[in-house]
Amino acid sequence: MHIYKLYYHILSMIWKLLYKLHYGLRLRIGKNFQFRKQFTLLLDSKGVVTIGDNVFFNNFCTVCALSEIIIGDGTIFGENVKLYDHNHKYFDPRIPIKQQGYTVAPIHIGKHCWIGSNVTILKGVTIGDNCVIGTGCVIFKYIPSNSVVINKQNLEILCK
């Protein structure tokens, strides 16, 4: 187990260096930022990402910024979490969606949050400090500090 952890620690150090070289000042990374395999970080030419101290992303997470994404200290992410600060425009049926551009709005995630596996966080969302976002949720609006958000479908399954 120690060799496994050491391997991913070294690999993430290399990737962090490559990300910093590629994105420069548009990427701000705090101390002890770590991620596991298949972490993807994409910044558009105007995109900015700020990641606080002691943030952890598990396997297969994606952070994609055309505008701005801010993640507070001590926040942890389960597997396959997706953060998108943009969405395709689709208002004109005469123009193909891929040619209509995007709408954008920043994402702000507070300190000491736990974002469960398979969560998607969409543009314009603010999640307060000390929140728990349960597995499989799609977050599309403001979540106040100290909240627990669960997918009702998961609750119903657990109660049977």
Side-chain angles (χ1 to χ4, degrees), residues 16 19-20 23-31 33-34 39 41-43 46-57 63-75 77 83 85 106-111 125 127:
K16 282 189 279 189
Y19 283 137
K20 284 298 290 175
Y23 294 122
L25 296 175
R26 295 181 300 121
L27 175 61
R28 300 174 193 114
I29 298 174
K31 294 179 276 184
F33 166 53
Q34 294 186 14
F39 174 77
L41 178 66
L42 300 169
L43 279 67
K46 296 179 183 175
V48 176
V49 171
T50 303
I51 299 172
D53 296 338
N54 303 306
V55 170
F56 172 76
F57 281 91
V63 176
C64 190
L66 301 187
S67 174
E68 180 180 44
I69 297 175
I70 299 172
I71 301 166
D73 296 341
T75 293
F77 295 83
L83 283 69
D85 71 350
I107 293 173
H108 297 263
I109 300 173
K111 296 177 181 180
V125 165
I127 298 173

Side-chain angles (χ1 to χ4, degrees), residues 15 36 48 69 73 81 99 106 115 144 150-151:
W15 273 106
R36 292 277 173 87
V48 176
I69 297 175
D73 296 341
V81 174
Q99 294 175 2
I115 313 297
I150 59 170
N151 184 339

